[in-house]
Amino acid sequence: CNLCIQCLHAYPMTQSRRWPWVATILSLPNATVMGGVGTPYTATSVYTLGWWHYSLPTEARPVVHVPGAILSLVIIWGNQFQHFVFDTLSRVAFCLDFLAANPHVKVLHNGGVSESFLTALGLDPARLMTALPDHHYQADHVYFPFIGHTDMGLVPTNIFTRVRALLLPPSVPRPTARTDVVYLQREYPRLHRSLTPANEARVLEAVRTALKPPLRLVLYNSTDNWETDRALFAGAAAVLGPHGGAFSNVRSNESQLFL
């Protein structure tokens, strides 16, 4: 697709082979967004932007017309915590000034966990629209924040600094000393599956033996409430565990953290 579109805002980054090379907001007049995966398109172009999930369905879907302008945060799996944090919250971070300067622009999002995050960032709930996965959303103008990479989870350095201050206000308790070593368990009872390592018990025993007071081991399983969990991760000295989305909780930590 043709990316010669007005650049409204750019986040400074150094180009490299692996890390994102641009963060910007694309401006698309008379455009449509596909609910569920977030594909932006016009009458003549589909903007895949190199992402595998930006494609159009073959079957017809209902189209909702939104008067005025929308900024689309819709992305595949964007209603899930870890995907929202890395692939949506990272885009919100460089859109805050634009949204503050343009209060008429509505914000289209996946629903789920995203709404609680967006309101915590100070966005008026009246501006928020949940995109139904089987609908398309057409507007006079679509703004589409884009980070130039094709791998989920790659975000610009320090991009969470500003939003962290908003999501972790002074009212959230912090420990006087960092003593918690948090182990991220991988049990998913509601999904009837587990990614627990076969030798987890031996690993945990070895960690407990190695830790010296005042450090202590804390076992973590998601509460499905990031506002409850953030205090634990804000005060953690270290976080360890099997690879997985639970590591997205570390965005709450304000200092150097061992992973």
Side-chain angles (χ1 to χ4, degrees), residues 135-189:
H135 284 59
H136 292 215
Y137 293 83
Q138 191 274 331
D140 302 323
H141 218 108
V142 171
Y143 296 106
F144 184 77
F146 168 65
I147 295 178
H149 63 79
T150 56
D151 294 310
M152 288 186 168
L154 291 183
V155 298
T157 303
N158 297 326
I159 201 167
F160 291 129
T161 301
R162 183 176 179 186
V163 295
R164 183 184 295 113
L166 297 172
L167 298 174
L168 200 66
S171 57
V172 176
R174 273 79 156 178
T176 55
R178 297 179 180 274
T179 59
D180 290 344
V181 174
V182 180
Y183 177 81
L184 305 176
Q185 295 180 297
R186 296 297 304 275
E187 290 286 352
Y188 297 98

Side-chain angles (χ1 to χ4, degrees), residues 218-241:
V218 177
L219 304 185
Y220 168 80
N221 239 321
S222 174
T223 65
D224 288 328
N225 186 329
W226 66 270
E227 292 171 289
T228 299
D229 293 343
R230 61 185 170 181
L232 171 64
F233 288 93
V239 176
L240 67 153

Side-chain angles (χ1 to χ4, degrees), residues 12-22 148-151 154-157:
M13 279 178 284
T14 300
Q15 182 173 353
S16 71
R17 182 182 64 82
R18 180 165 175 77
W19 297 107
W21 50 267
V22 66
H149 63 79
T150 56
D151 294 310
L154 291 183
V155 298
T157 303

Side-chain angles (χ1 to χ4, degrees), residues 4-244:
C4 296
I5 302 171
Q6 178 185 6
C7 174
L8 298 177
H9 185 84
Y11 188 94
M13 279 178 284
T14 300
Q15 182 173 353
S16 71
R17 182 182 64 82
R18 180 165 175 77
W19 297 107
W21 50 267
V22 66
T24 189
I25 302 176
L26 306 184
S27 173
L28 305 173
N30 299 314
T32 305
V33 174
M34 178 182 166
V37 297
T39 309
Y41 66 96
T42 65
T44 58
S45 301
V46 177
Y47 294 85
T48 61
L49 304 170
W51 280 78
W52 59 269
H53 57 81
Y54 285 148
S55 59
L56 290 178
T58 55
E59 72 277 9
R61 296 189 177 189
V63 177
V64 177
H65 176 70
V66 183
I70 59 175
L71 181 139
S72 176
L73 298 174
V74 180
I75 191 169
I76 192 169
W77 307 317
N79 60 330
Q80 299 176 22
F81 174 77
Q82 66 271 30
H83 291 286
F84 177 85
V85 168
F86 283 117
D87 299 312
T88 303
L89 186 59
S90 57
R91 292 185 291 148
V92 176
F94 67 84
C95 292
L96 290 177
D97 290 336
F98 171 78
L99 290 172
N102 297 275
H104 64 285
V105 176
K106 293 188 177 295
V107 178
L108 189 68
H109 62 93
N110 289 86
V113 71
S114 59
E115 186 157 357
S116 63
F117 269 100
L118 295 173
T119 53
L121 290 170
L123 294 180
D124 184 348
R127 298 178 68 179
L128 305 181
M129 296 180 57
T130 300
L132 300 176
D134 58 347
H135 284 59
H136 292 215
Y137 293 83
Q138 191 274 331
D140 302 323
H141 218 108
V142 171
Y143 296 106
F144 184 77
F146 168 65
I147 295 178
H149 63 79
T150 56
D151 294 310
M152 288 186 168
L154 291 183
V155 298
T157 303
N158 297 326
I159 201 167
F160 291 129
T161 301
R162 183 176 179 186
V163 295
R164 183 184 295 113
L166 297 172
L167 298 174
L168 200 66
S171 57
V172 176
R174 273 79 156 178
T176 55
R178 297 179 180 274
T179 59
D180 290 344
V181 174
V182 180
Y183 177 81
L184 305 176
Q185 295 180 297
R186 296 297 304 275
E187 290 286 352
Y188 297 98
R190 68 181 184 280
L191 299 180
H192 305 291
R193 66 187 178 99
S194 172
L195 298 176
T196 301
N199 65 338
E200 181 179 76
R202 285 184 292 156
V203 169
L204 293 178
E205 183 57 33
V207 172
R208 288 190 181 96
T209 301
L211 292 180
K212 306 301 181 185
L215 295 177
R216 63 170 188 163
L217 183 65
V218 177
L219 304 185
Y220 168 80
N221 239 321
S222 174
T223 65
D224 288 328
N225 186 329
W226 66 270
E227 292 171 289
T228 299
D229 293 343
R230 61 185 170 181
L232 171 64
F233 288 93
V239 176
L240 67 153
H243 169 73

